[in-house]
Amino acid sequence: MIFAPSHLPSPPKPGSYVADLALLVVGGSAFLIGLILWLDNAQGGLTGNGLFKSLELKEWVVDPANAPLYPSNYLFYPVYGALCQVLDLLGIFAGDPRRQITILNALSASLCLGCVYLLVRTLTGDRLLALLAALFHISCNYVLFLAIINEDIMSSYTVMFVSMALAGVWFAQPTAMRVAVVSAVFTIGWLFEWRLMFPTLPAMVAALWLCERRLVLRFAWIGLFLAVMFAVTCLVAWFWWGHDEAAGPLDLIWTGKAVNSAWGGFSWAKFGYLWEGVVGYLLGIGMIEVLGGPGWDTWRYTSSLWLLAVGIVSLVMLWRVRADSRAWSLLTVFGGTLLAGQVFNLYSQPQDPQMQINVMAWLTLGWALASVAAVRRWGSRGRMAMAALTVLLLAYNISGLVPFRGADTAWQKAIERFERETDPARTVFVLHDFDWLMTYASMHWGQTYPGLETLSSPPQETPRFKWIGFANDLLRHPGWSASDQADAMRREIDQALDLGYDVVAVRLWATSADDLKKLSSTIADGASVEALHRMLHTDFVADFLFDDPVAGAVHRLRRAPGR
């Protein structure tokens, strides 16, 4: 094997792989499911995206024949819907897709561990290093986190990682069969999550170009790769043709998700978010904040130095075997995904774990190569040192989950307090769209969009959750001026008051303009946020109602005197 030193044991018989794969897939699943039960927080304290995905997914569990398809997640809903039906039959979180997604994500992550093991063992011939690489992979903060919450990225990431691993090994000596298989697996991956296409497609094409010396075959392999990708897309589109919201192959290849939205666009501020996203992939920050440690900057630099060291060592290792096309294949597939992905992330949300998990996949391979270097230099002591660092990383990132524990139970009790202290039939809530009250109220009272279009005079039981979103128009109308944003929100609050509702602001009234800017910085400029904050405190006054230990300060709004 090209990276294995001569004194390492030769690969054993293929049958010996089975026990290790069983350990990783079955043992990894049990470990992650145990963390899920311990965490008691299906959202993970990240976003409410998983909750809203689960509400859409429930249609595929209850009535798949009439459930709508979503082009940007074309395979996710049908596949996860069918798997949730299996979990229902097994009595595992029956009827609760919000938590069932966490179980399916744990299983997906465990399958990915098996793929990591096979990749590293194929490259190095070293069983222990392959197991160590798999352990390192699940120890990385974002991988561990997304494996146990209900975000929708883990299954698509696992399929995409399989395609990258196959390409990293096979594209060194491409054949028609190898190119076709990689393309098919790659396409299935992005059909689960559309945006995963963009970082890896140019990397795949570049690897086929660089690793094939004959010009005619370069074009042939790239043409075959693109042809199979299109053929698989056509096949999937044909299979669902006639279903509600079915899409054609061209619509699947370009869905335009988040393009020209509040999330899209380049700005200097996103370079700072990019740094946070990159270093956060490796190290979490939770326990440092809770324990009052030295702060995020210390851990930002610690993670940066760790990443830099792994990157340098792995590049040196690949350079030493540059005569072997596998070195170029691995470098191009994983390194190309990194470079293209970070450019793509600068347009979108570079600090989001979902945006970094596939882009940072190079780190596990880099850690394996660094481990090979450590074993070559220091023998068993080098192996033990790398294992110790991996275990330390896992322990630290698990400790970082502690601040997020118990949120599901805590918010259930908070919703019960709100039902006692306020009457949802007579109340319109004003809150930031990213506030956790919005997420959990949607879960317990039913999902509704912000706005008052369906409101009549109180009491109105349906919808039970009635709310005005601070960031709603920032998201829907990013081109509006600051004064337009403020005028729109003022009209909504006035309308609710005119209808006779209690207008209750949760946490929002007591939040400073600077904190609101930080909370909204990825979607809006500071001027718009300042205008909204100023409008609230100029045109309205607030009476303190109560301070909820979970949701924060609650105020009732009324018009300012003289309005």
Side-chain angles (χ1 to χ4, degrees):
M1 297 298 172
I2 60 173
F3 301 118
S6 58
H7 64 273
L8 287 177
S10 59
K13 296 179 181 179
S16 66
Y17 284 68
V18 175
D20 290 345
L21 289 173
L23 171 66
L24 291 169
V25 176
V26 178
S29 297
F31 167 70
L32 293 172
I33 291 171
L35 281 181
I36 290 169
L37 299 175
W38 168 80
L39 188 60
D40 183 28
N41 186 350
Q43 282 69 243
L46 184 62
T47 69
N49 183 57
L51 167 65
F52 299 112
K53 292 287 186 182
S54 72
L55 296 174
E56 296 168 343
L57 176 63
K58 193 159 189 175
E59 298 180 68
W60 280 93
V61 181
V62 176
D63 187 14
N66 297 301
L69 287 160
Y70 298 88
S72 295
N73 303 97
Y74 212 61
L75 291 180
F76 172 80
Y77 290 100
V79 172
Y80 262 48
L83 292 174
C84 284
Q85 290 178 329
V86 174
L87 294 180
D88 282 344
L89 293 174
L90 296 174
I92 300 173
F93 292 143
D96 188 359
R98 183 181 70 92
R99 292 191 291 174
Q100 287 176 330
I101 293 175
T102 65
I103 302 299
L104 298 176
N105 285 346
L107 297 176
S108 296
S110 299
L111 290 172
C112 193
L113 296 184
C115 179
V116 170
Y117 168 85
L118 290 173
L119 172 64
V120 175
R121 193 164 182 183
T122 298
L123 292 172
T124 67
D126 191 310
R127 176 193 180 202
L128 292 179
L129 286 186
L131 289 171
L132 178 61
L135 179 61
F136 177 83
H137 184 71
I138 199 59
S139 300
C140 291
N141 181 46
Y142 285 171
V143 179
L144 178 68
F145 193 57
L146 292 170
I148 60 175
I149 66 172
N150 58 15
E151 290 284 1
D152 61 335
I153 194 66
M154 186 53 67
S155 55
S156 49
Y157 165 70
T158 295
V159 178
M160 188 60 65
F161 189 92
V162 170
S163 73
M164 293 171 66
L166 290 174
V169 176
W170 284 354
F171 282 5
Q173 294 180 325
T175 65
M177 179 62 70
R178 288 178 170 184
V179 172
V181 169
V182 171
S183 179
V185 176
F186 165 76
T187 305
I188 292 170
W190 66 255
L191 282 171
F192 269 80
E193 175 58 58
W194 173 68
R195 62 177 175 76
L196 293 191
M197 177 200 307
F198 296 98
T200 305
L201 179 58
M204 296 279 193
V205 171
L208 288 171
W209 182 269
L210 289 174
C211 294
E212 176 57 66
R213 298 183 181 276
R214 293 161 292 184
L215 183 61
V216 173
L217 285 181
R218 283 178 171 177
F219 286 105
W221 298 140
I222 293 172
L224 177 61
F225 185 92
L226 297 176
V228 172
M229 186 179 88
F230 185 69
V232 172
T233 306
C234 289
L235 183 63
V236 171
W238 170 81
F239 183 83
W240 291 107
W241 194 250
H243 196 92
D244 187 21
E245 302 294 336
L250 295 181
D251 294 322
L252 292 176
I253 290 174
W254 178 258
T255 71
K257 180 181 180 181
V259 176
N260 295 324
S261 71
W263 305 106
F266 296 99
S267 68
W268 288 112
K270 288 189 176 181
F271 282 94
Y273 297 140
L274 178 66
W275 189 12
E276 287 190 11
V278 169
V279 299
Y281 175 87
L282 179 66
L283 285 177
I285 187 63
M287 281 306 293
I288 299 303
E289 291 180 331
V290 170
L291 298 176
W296 176 227
D297 279 347
T298 299
W299 298 96
R300 191 197 309 259
Y301 293 127
T302 300
S303 183
S304 297
L305 291 173
W306 192 330
L307 293 169
L308 184 63
V310 173
I312 291 173
V313 172
S314 57
L315 284 174
V316 169
M317 293 293 291
L318 290 174
W319 180 253
R320 288 176 177 174
V321 291
R322 61 189 179 277
D324 192 312
S325 58
R326 282 173 289 187
W328 291 103
S329 180
L330 290 165
L331 177 63
T332 308
V333 170
F334 286 88
T337 297
L338 171 66
L339 295 177
Q342 298 302 7
V343 173
F344 175 77
N345 285 347
L346 280 172
Y347 176 81
S348 52
Q349 304 172 76
Q351 78 285 2
D352 190 332
Q354 290 195 93
M355 307 302 290
Q356 291 292 344
I357 184 173
N358 62 306
V359 174
M360 292 293 292
W362 71 272
L363 183 59
T364 294
L365 178 61
W367 186 252
L369 295 175
S371 298
V372 170
V375 172
R376 283 184 174 181
R377 187 173 182 85
W378 296 294
S380 60
R381 290 181 299 172
R383 192 194 308 273
M384 292 177 62
M386 299 299 278
L389 282 173
T390 301
V391 172
L392 181 63
L393 176 66
L394 178 61
Y396 173 76
N397 283 330
I398 290 176
S399 74
L401 298 172
V402 172
F404 303 111
R405 281 195 69 197
D408 283 348
T409 298
W411 273 103
Q412 180 179 346
K413 293 178 179 177
I415 294 296
E416 292 170 356
R417 286 192 293 271
F418 270 88
E419 290 180 335
R420 292 194 300 268
E421 300 289 342
T422 65
D423 181 1
R426 298 178 178 275
T427 303
V428 171
F429 295 93
V430 183
L431 58 154
H432 199 289
D433 303 56
F434 301 161
D435 194 283
W436 281 106
L437 178 63
M438 184 276 292
T439 302
Y440 283 95
S442 297
M443 183 176 76
H444 290 281
W445 290 341
Q447 180 187 12
T448 55
Y449 292 102
L452 310 180
E453 291 83 359
T454 62
L455 241 58
S456 58
S457 299
Q460 183 173 331
E461 293 290 344
T462 305
R464 188 162 179 78
F465 180 33
K466 297 172 279 291
W467 64 292
I468 296 170
F470 180 86
N472 180 44
D473 287 320
L474 297 175
L475 289 164
R476 292 174 56 202
H477 306 288
W480 281 7
S481 67
S483 59
D484 288 339
Q485 299 283 356
D487 290 343
M489 187 173 179
R490 181 192 301 109
R491 285 194 298 269
E492 284 197 298
I493 297 174
D494 282 339
Q495 179 184 350
L497 291 171
D498 289 340
L499 286 170
Y501 283 92
D502 290 334
V503 179
V504 172
V506 182
R507 205 190 325 249
L508 197 62
W509 184 265
T511 304
S512 69
D514 287 341
D515 286 342
L516 285 173
K517 286 180 189 178
K518 293 176 184 177
L519 190 59
S520 313
S521 59
T522 58
I523 61 167
D525 59 86
S528 294
V529 176
E530 282 186 355
L532 288 167
H533 182 269
R534 183 168 56 252
M535 178 277 297
L536 275 177
H537 288 267
T538 301
D539 294 348
F540 301 94
V541 294
D543 301 315
F544 177 78
L545 292 182
F546 63 96
D547 194 359
D548 187 86
V550 177
V554 181
H555 294 80
R556 180 184 289 114
L557 300 184
R558 50 187 175 85
R559 290 185 182 90
R563 279 198 65 219

